[in-house]
Amino acid sequence: MSEAKQPYIWEKSYPDDIDWRAPLSAQALPELMENAAAKYAANPAIDFMDRIYSFAELGALVNRAAKGLQAEGLQKGGRVGLMLPNCPAMVISYYAVLKAGGTVVNFNPLYAEEEIRSQIEDSECDVMITLDMPLIHDKAAKMLSTTRLKKIILASMAEQLPFPKSLLYRLLKGKNIVKLPADGRHVSFKRLCANDGRPEAVEIDPEEDIAVLQYTGGTTGRPKGAMLSHANLTANVQQATLFFPETKFGEEVMMGVLPLFHVFAMTVVMNFSIHAGAKMILLPRFELEAALKVIDKKRPTFFPAVPTIYIAINNHPGVAAGKFDLTSMRYCLAGGDTLPRDVQEKFESLSGCRLLEGYGLSETSPVALCNPSTGESRAGSLGLPAPGTVVEITDIENPSKVLAQGETGEICITGPQVMSGYWNREEESAAALLDGRFHTGDVGYIDEDGYTYLIDRLKEIILAGGYNIYPRHVEEAIYRHPAVEEVTVAGIADAYRQQTVKAFVKLRAGQSLDAEGLTDFLKDKLSKIEMPKEIEFRDELPKTLIGKLSKKELVAEEAAKLDAASST
């Protein structure tokens, strides 16, 4: 952490109950689980489809799985892939790999085979833990003969469910349950845990040992593995906790709809819950009606999500009609994408809780900035730097030059949560961590009170006729139209201007709008240069697995259209 003789500009905006200079300790992640299992032994740790796991039970299963992994040959530093949806096996496996001295490699279960193959080879992953569902297991099984992968540990979904759901699952899904192959290369999770739960102690250096290889989304090239140490991740949990000083340890209930293999949920849902002794309600996937019923019945107090989830809740007719009670939630945290102001205000009015916007990346574990839960939350801002975190703005053309407050440039992060680099990518690591700062690739500025504002992502800036156009600014203007539910703005190839602005729009149910009407609405909100030259209305817009609107598919579609036209 950088020290300053004079207070940083944002310190004056910190509420009295949050200290930017609070000490942060470097811990090994397994200590979080060990402490929780001892302190909150009888408390519920996980609620999975009504199956309750206590912290004592969870801690014991972690120990058993850790010993089982060691018996299967896992050595310190060995990489173990986790390709699992939200379920108890995901939490158990994560902490078991770490306790056994290994490194977790998170895999998206919906990845295409080629993406899985590439990540296995890049991470040098020899073992994969996955689920007995063909959609997930079959892709992993193909890797046994085509990559360096040597072993698959197969967890049973039915064994994680309560009775009678476990019985019904076997009866109804029997044909879609993978039977354990007798090939010597598969091990059941149940057998893995069939031991006395006394793993061999492994000495972990929190600062040096890599806990997780977290692969970036790959929207700008081949995905890279951010090396996150135990110290990075435990510091980030402490930072997140400090941002929520009213957290009631041992009493909170966390809504877990975001996938735990994603860095946002890994820290803010899973690791935060273990640290705080909170009960995690785990849902394997986000389904709006089911999630609302869970909120109404099980009364979560924390609900981290992406903006599209809050948009969906706002627009559900049953919410406005009072069919679902959302008032148990005290804090909701939006990350991963722009949070439109009207979405924030409407959700807060429906739920009565504060919806705070934060900011982070895989490379920052991920929390770097957040609007304080007990202080001023500035709409449209990313908030204040996390405790111990320094945010600076550097010149886009000269990345070593730090700009003055108020100037626009690249957002850079320094702090204990910042990765040590990218796995086996020395040149890219040096560029990303130039001068000891992590260069985010995002453009923004810091206001006079220390709040940071995101203008756009460097690699998504539209270059049209020599002008820089920021898609986020255009999206914010379009979101102000009452008929618009979701929008994505992207730059598409243009022979004359290099790129031109195209907006892809999804309307609210029952609303009508055409391109001419939207253009008229935007005339006093956007310059002629920024005005979308093309507007396409769609029933749905593509999203990532965590529900974040995704430009990648839309840009690829436009490129394919251009190629086809050129060929013709």
Side-chain angles (χ1 to χ4, degrees), residues 286-559:
F286 175 69
E287 293 176 339
L288 179 57
E289 187 84 11
L292 288 170
K293 288 178 180 177
V294 167
I295 294 170
D296 183 75
K297 179 183 177 184
K298 299 192 176 184
R299 318 295 290 153
T301 56
F302 275 68
F303 182 21
V306 290
T308 49
I309 289 179
Y310 299 120
I311 290 171
I313 291 173
N314 285 351
N315 292 321
H316 190 286
V319 174
K323 181 180 175 183
F324 304 102
D325 184 357
L326 309 181
T327 60
S328 65
M329 297 184 293
R330 302 206 322 278
Y331 297 113
C332 292
L333 178 62
D337 209 347
T338 304
L339 177 66
R341 181 179 297 191
D342 69 313
V343 173
Q344 180 181 21
E345 291 174 351
K346 183 174 181 181
F347 184 84
E348 288 184 339
S349 69
L350 290 169
S351 66
C353 84
R354 296 193 73 182
L355 174 53
L356 306 168
E357 184 168 7
Y359 170 85
L361 306 98
S362 297
E363 294 89 342
T364 60
S365 301
V367 181
L369 296 116
C370 190
N371 281 278
S373 64
T374 54
E376 182 184 357
S377 176
R378 291 201 176 171
S381 87
L382 304 176
L384 303 170
T389 303
V390 174
V391 176
E392 295 169 299
I393 307 297
T394 61
D395 189 277
I396 292 172
E397 301 301 324
N398 179 11
S400 293
K401 180 183 178 183
V402 177
L403 300 178
Q405 179 271 315
E407 293 190 77
T408 296
E410 184 176 8
I411 299 171
C412 294
I413 310 291
T414 310
Q417 74 274 50
V418 174
M419 67 169 186
S420 56
Y422 296 114
W423 176 256
N424 291 335
R425 307 279 178 89
E426 290 186 13
E427 287 186 16
E428 288 167 277
S429 297
L433 296 168
L434 182 69
D435 301 322
R437 305 180 186 94
F438 172 61
H439 291 253
T440 66
D442 288 339
V443 179
Y445 67 93
I446 301 172
D447 73 9
E448 66 277 6
D449 295 318
Y451 287 78
T452 298
Y453 291 78
L454 174 68
I455 294 178
D456 226 310
R457 288 165 172 79
L458 261 180
K459 296 181 176 65
E460 292 179 359
I461 290 176
I462 300 169
L463 303 172
Y467 292 93
N468 287 353
I469 298 171
Y470 298 103
R472 176 175 170 134
H473 176 64
V474 181
E475 289 166 353
E476 288 279 7
I478 295 172
Y479 266 123
R480 290 164 66 181
H481 195 292
V484 173
E485 180 172 320
E486 294 176 349
V487 60
T488 297
V489 170
I492 59 172
D494 181 85
Y496 176 63
R497 303 176 76 215
Q498 184 181 1
Q499 284 186 309
T500 194
V501 182
K502 180 166 183 176
F504 300 85
V505 179
K506 176 187 175 184
L507 299 178
R508 299 180 190 274
Q511 297 291 317
S512 62
L513 181 68
D514 59 17
E516 184 180 355
L518 182 55
T519 300
D520 287 343
F521 174 80
L522 296 171
K523 280 181 179 176
D524 63 344
K525 300 171 182 66
L526 297 173
S527 68
K528 289 184 178 180
I529 296 166
E530 295 169 318
M531 186 70 70
K533 301 302 180 285
E534 293 185 37
I535 298 173
E536 182 178 331
F537 293 92
R538 293 194 172 198
D539 293 334
E540 294 293 338
L541 296 180
K543 298 181 179 69
T544 66
L545 189 62
I546 66 164
K548 176 181 174 181
L549 288 167
S550 177
K551 292 190 198 316
K552 184 169 65 173
E553 291 83 350
L554 297 170
V555 171
E557 280 182 31
E558 294 299 319

Side-chain angles (χ1 to χ4, degrees), residues 5-17:
K5 293 180 181 178
Q6 298 297 323
Y8 285 105
I9 188 172
W10 49 80
E11 289 189 72
K12 66 182 180 183
S13 297
Y14 257 63
D16 292 340
D17 52 3

Side-chain angles (χ1 to χ4, degrees), residues 1-4 8 11 19-24 239 386-390 414-417:
M1 174 180 115
S2 300
E3 288 293 338
Y8 285 105
E11 289 189 72
D19 180 8
W20 180 83
R21 296 174 183 267
L24 302 169
Q239 291 167 319
T389 303
V390 174
T414 310
Q417 74 274 50

